[in-house]
């Protein structure tokens, strides 16, 4: 078997700043790599997860000029954990603002999990400005996907961790876990918000990898958990602010001419492999890679290998 490819060495951003959206948000952005390289935008997951310096290492710094940014309300963006003017379509236009600010006509769009959702929404809205699409851990925000992860499905594989999710809910509330958490995450009592946020966030942190990882503990840190849980629950309660349950699959026709790669772990418990399969059926021109022995996270060896290979391939396109 060929040796699996890994992350590039750490590299500092060569520029960073805050983008004023004009409606109450300040978006943190940074650029790294080669200022003369192929333009790309990295779209992080969550929603509410924020980007990290390690995400720069997914791109060859000699070949790419990569834009990373923290979506509204999370990471270094301000105001922290804000739900105001925070929808999929606000984020789509934020990406477009960043493209114009960067002065590029087209760029590679890279996203995983919720980042894949937002990447699809952006590409379908602005296909003329997308050169290639690299997606990982497909999530199209259909009701069945949310029901799987937050009601019945993944809980059967992690009954001990799911019990913690149910522990603060009354028996009556357990019939709609997302709605019950919505009440707590939007409470005026910060202590109530924080208790719910930590439990919500740890559920994801402890179930997104095939094998346990120490990184899961970071999901329970106060600031991260509050933004992550509040924003995620906000988006999921509103079904991603999409017009229909299958909007992102139905509108794939708009991007079928764009070269694409779909990468998904066989044992992804957060987003079932069926999601990737359904997207590939709608988009047969894209390359589908189902990774055996992998879950959801971008840095699981087989997934990371294919992400790096896709970026290397498109760097030469």
């Amino acid at each position: 078997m060929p040796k699996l490819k890994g992350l590039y060495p750490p590299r500092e951003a060569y520029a960073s700043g805050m983008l004023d959206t004009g409606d109450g948000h300040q978006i943190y952005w940074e650029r790294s790599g080669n200022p003369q390289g192929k333009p790309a935008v990295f779209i992080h997951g969550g929603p509410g997860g924020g980007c990290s310096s390690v995400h720069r290492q997914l791109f060859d710094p000699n070949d790419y000029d990569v834009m990373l940014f923290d979506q509204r309300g999370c990471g270094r963006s301000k105001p922290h954990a804000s739900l105001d003017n925070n929808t999929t379509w606000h984020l789509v236009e934020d990406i477009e603002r960043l493209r114009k600010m960067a002065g590029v006509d087209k760029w590679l769009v890279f996203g995983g999990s919720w980042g894949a959702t937002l990447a699809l929404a952006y590409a379908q809205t602005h296909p003329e400005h997308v050169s290639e699409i690299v997606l990982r851990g497909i999530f199209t925000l259909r009701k069945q996907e949310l029901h799987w992860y937050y009601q019945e499905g993944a809980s059967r594989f992690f009954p001990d961790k799911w019990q913690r999710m149910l522990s603060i809910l009354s028996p009556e509330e357990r019939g709609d876990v997302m709605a019950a958490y919505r009440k707590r995450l939007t409470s005026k009592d910060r202590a109530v918000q924080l208790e719910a946020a930590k439990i919500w966030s740890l559920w994801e942190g402890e179930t997104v990898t095939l094998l346990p990882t120490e990184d899961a503990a970071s999901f329970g840190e106060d600031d991260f958990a509050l933004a992550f849980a509040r924003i995620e629950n906000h988006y999921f309660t509103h079904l991603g602010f999409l017009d229909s349950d299958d909007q992102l699959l139905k509108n794939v026709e708009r991007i079928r001419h764009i070269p694409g790669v779909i990468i998904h772990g066989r044992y992804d418990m957060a987003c079932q492999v069926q999601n990737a399969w359904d997207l590939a059926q709608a988009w047969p021109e894209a390359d589908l890679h189902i990774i055996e022995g992998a879950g959801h996270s971008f840095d699981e060896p087989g997934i990371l290998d294919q992400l790096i290979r896709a970026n290397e391939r498109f760097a030469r396109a």
Side-chain angles (χ1 to χ4, degrees), residues 4-12 32-33 53-64 66 110 298-299 304-316:
L4 294 179
K5 293 180 178 286
L7 294 168
Y8 291 96
R11 192 178 183 98
E12 294 300 313
S32 65
S53 60
V54 72
H55 296 142
R56 303 172 195 152
Q57 298 174 243
L58 289 160
F59 302 84
D60 188 326
N62 297 311
D63 290 337
Y64 278 98
V66 186
F110 181 112
F298 83 93
D299 55 0
L304 179 59
D305 173 71
Q306 286 298 331
L307 291 173
I308 299 294
R309 289 179 187 276
N311 285 345
E312 288 182 347
R313 168 189 159 193
F314 289 139
R316 297 185 288 270

Side-chain angles (χ1 to χ4, degrees), residues 144-161:
Q144 68 193 50
E145 297 172 41
L146 294 169
H147 189 79
W148 160 265
Y149 198 48
Y150 291 106
Q151 199 64 48
E152 294 180 16
S155 60
R156 299 179 184 180
F157 292 86
F158 303 100
D160 50 337
K161 302 180 190 304

Side-chain angles (χ1 to χ4, degrees), residues 21 23 25 27 48 69-74 77 79 82 84-87 90-91 94 97 231 235:
T21 65
D23 59 2
H25 288 268
I27 303 299
F69 70 102
D70 291 331
Q71 294 161 30
R72 296 185 179 212
C74 69
S77 293
S82 173
D84 296 334
N85 296 322
N86 199 340
T87 73
H90 285 101
L91 301 184
D94 289 345
R97 286 189 186 96
I231 296 171
Y235 272 74

Side-chain angles (χ1 to χ4, degrees), residues 194-210:
L194 199 54
E195 178 189 39
K198 287 184 175 183
I199 295 173
W200 176 284
S201 298
L202 283 170
W203 162 249
E204 186 157 335
E206 294 181 355
T207 58
V208 291
T209 53
L210 182 64

Side-chain angles (χ1 to χ4, degrees), residues 4-55:
L4 294 179
K5 293 180 178 286
L7 294 168
Y8 291 96
R11 192 178 183 98
E12 294 300 313
Y14 71 79
S16 64
M18 302 294 285
L19 173 71
D20 189 339
T21 65
D23 59 2
H25 288 268
Q26 298 282 329
I27 303 299
Y28 171 82
W29 62 267
E30 64 178 45
R31 294 172 74 175
S32 65
N34 178 1
Q36 308 305 317
K38 182 184 181 76
V41 59
F42 175 89
I43 304 178
H44 68 69
C51 61
S52 166
S53 60
V54 72
H55 296 142

Side-chain angles (χ1 to χ4, degrees), residues 67-263:
M67 174 76 73
L68 295 90
F69 70 102
D70 291 331
Q71 294 161 30
R72 296 185 179 212
C74 69
R76 289 147 289 189
S77 293
K78 299 176 181 179
H80 183 257
S82 173
L83 307 182
D84 296 334
N85 296 322
N86 199 340
T87 73
T88 302
W89 309 111
H90 285 101
L91 301 184
V92 163
E93 290 315 304
D94 289 345
I95 298 171
E96 186 62 1
R97 286 189 186 96
L98 290 169
R99 182 193 65 79
K100 292 175 181 177
M101 184 192 75
V104 302
D105 180 49
K106 289 188 175 185
W107 53 5
L108 178 147
V109 177
F110 181 112
S113 191
W114 157 255
T117 316
L118 185 53
L120 286 170
Y122 173 77
Q124 291 172 7
T125 304
H126 299 285
E128 69 279 8
H129 296 305
V130 179
S131 57
E132 299 91 10
I133 304 172
V134 178
L135 304 176
R136 183 270 310 166
I138 306 306
F139 177 46
T140 65
L141 247 171
R142 292 173 291 179
K143 292 177 184 177
Q144 68 193 50
E145 297 172 41
L146 294 169
H147 189 79
W148 160 265
Y149 198 48
Y150 291 106
Q151 199 64 48
E152 294 180 16
S155 60
R156 299 179 184 180
F157 292 86
F158 303 100
D160 50 337
K161 302 180 190 304
W162 185 247
Q163 182 57 39
R164 185 174 59 206
M165 281 283 282
L166 300 181
S167 66
I168 62 172
L169 307 183
S170 69
E172 294 75 23
E173 290 176 310
R174 296 178 182 186
D176 191 340
V177 171
M178 286 202 311
Y181 269 83
R182 169 79 172 173
K183 293 177 183 177
R184 288 163 173 77
L185 292 168
T186 57
S187 168
K188 294 182 180 180
D189 186 333
R190 179 180 169 83
V192 172
Q193 284 190 28
L194 199 54
E195 178 189 39
K198 287 184 175 183
I199 295 173
W200 176 284
S201 298
L202 283 170
W203 162 249
E204 186 157 335
E206 294 181 355
T207 58
V208 291
T209 53
L210 182 64
L211 298 175
T213 171
E214 293 180 358
D215 293 342
S218 65
F219 280 71
E221 295 174 359
D222 289 8
D223 284 350
F224 177 87
L226 200 60
F228 187 79
R230 274 172 52 84
I231 296 171
E232 223 180 41
N233 180 274
H234 168 69
Y235 272 74
F236 297 169
T237 297
H238 291 93
L239 302 177
F241 303 92
L242 301 178
D243 294 333
S244 65
D245 195 50
D246 62 348
Q247 178 178 338
L248 296 178
L249 293 178
K250 184 173 61 178
N251 289 345
V252 165
E253 192 66 31
R254 299 178 183 177
I255 61 170
R256 284 181 58 180
H257 64 287
I258 300 173
V261 175
I262 301 167
I263 300 164

